[in-house]
């Protein structure tokens, strides 16, 4: 991922500004998971997992159809393929003890894949979307992205990853299951 931009430099409400701010947060969470241990590492990983699940789902639903026409199908397909790979990696990580050596090794590989993917988006996808869309269209896309994230799954779902159509059909049901699972997990972890 490129050097994080200062938040005040990013367009506040447009889709590109929102996604770049999220990329900055993802990078922070990677660092937090990498340096923490125990319960703190688990909490940071859970936040990262939920953010990535929602972020990638919303990108596939809102950004990718636009980038397909502005950046080209090859660019959009490559980003979807990267997201599919990352989703599978995240699903595997979710099954591991965050303090295990296997988690640390797999997490480092996952971090490299996600940061490379984000850099590819920032260099190959975002500029053409930003050029092709008006400020109003970018802001409308930003609102749609945030709405999609509010209802997106909070866990990886490899069966839907990399496909805009699958995100629209499977995503809402997966989200309900995830949010119920998160609520039950939250209650049981307090006991």
């Amino acid at each position: 991922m490129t050097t994080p931009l200062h938040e005040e430099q990013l367009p506040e409400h447009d889709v590109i500004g929102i996604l770049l701010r999220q990329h900055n947060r993802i990078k922070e969470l990677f660092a937090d998971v990498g340096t923490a241990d125990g319960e703190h590492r688990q909490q940071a990983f859970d936040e990262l997992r939920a953010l990535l699940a929602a972020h990638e789902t919303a990108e596939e639903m809102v950004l990718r159809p636009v980038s397909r026409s502005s950046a080209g199908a090859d660019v959009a397909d490559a980003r979807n393929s990267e997201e599919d790979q990352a989703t599978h990696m995240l699903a595997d990580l979710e099954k591991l003890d965050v303090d295990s050596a296997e988690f640390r090794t797999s997490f480092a590989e996952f971090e490299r894949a996600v940061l490379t993917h984000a850099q590819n988006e920032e260099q190959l996808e975002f500029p053409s979307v930003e050029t092709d869309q008006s400020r109003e269209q970018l802001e409308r896309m930003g609102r749609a992205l945030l709405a999609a994230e509010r209802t997106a799954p909070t866990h990886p779902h490899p069966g839907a990853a990399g496909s805009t159509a699958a995100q629209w059909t499977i995503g809402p049901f997966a989200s309900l299951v995830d949010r119920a699972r998160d609520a039950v997990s939250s209650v049981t972890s307090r006991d």
Side-chain angles (χ1 to χ4, degrees):
M1 198 176 307
T2 57
T3 305
L5 296 171
H6 295 288
E7 298 293 318
E8 64 273 3
Q9 295 173 311
L10 299 174
E12 187 173 350
H13 300 292
D14 82 26
V15 68
I16 303 302
I18 292 166
L19 291 171
L20 288 170
R21 278 191 294 283
Q22 289 178 354
H23 284 184
N24 288 346
R25 181 64 183 145
I26 289 165
K27 190 172 183 179
E28 291 169 0
L29 287 167
F30 270 119
D32 198 16
V33 172
T35 59
D37 57 12
E39 186 60 30
H40 181 88
R41 177 180 280 162
Q42 184 66 57
Q43 289 172 348
F45 177 71
D46 289 345
E47 183 180 347
L48 176 63
R49 182 211 66 238
L51 174 56
L52 284 170
H55 174 86
E56 299 303 344
T57 297
E59 279 184 337
E60 290 176 18
M61 294 171 76
V62 176
L63 178 71
R64 214 51 36 78
V66 174
S67 69
R68 178 170 290 288
S69 65
S70 63
D74 56 331
V75 170
D77 290 345
R79 300 302 72 78
N80 279 344
S81 178
E82 292 164 357
E83 288 174 359
D84 180 50
Q85 177 189 11
T87 299
H88 282 83
M89 294 171 81
L90 184 57
D92 290 342
L93 276 169
E94 191 173 32
K95 298 171 190 169
L96 301 175
D97 177 341
V98 298
D99 287 321
S100 70
E102 184 181 3
F103 178 88
R104 284 189 291 280
T105 301
S106 297
F107 186 77
E109 182 181 333
F110 174 66
E111 180 178 14
R112 282 189 298 277
V114 169
L115 296 182
T116 297
H117 167 71
Q119 184 174 13
N120 288 339
E121 286 179 333
E122 292 172 13
Q123 293 175 354
L124 304 173
E125 188 174 28
F126 293 178
S128 53
V129 169
E130 203 166 28
T131 299
D132 278 6
Q133 303 296 304
S134 69
R135 180 68 35 219
E136 295 79 22
Q137 289 168 315
L138 291 170
E139 288 179 3
R140 191 173 23 246
M141 288 174 67
R143 289 189 299 274
L145 182 98
L146 293 174
E149 286 179 344
R150 283 192 294 274
T151 60
T154 60
H155 294 267
H157 292 276
S163 168
T164 299
Q167 294 295 2
W168 280 103
T169 56
I170 298 169
F173 300 106
S175 178
L176 291 172
V177 170
D178 287 355
R179 290 169 197 281
R181 181 168 108 183
D182 292 345
V184 169
S185 178
S186 173
V187 169
T188 58
S189 68
R190 285 186 261 163
D191 294 339

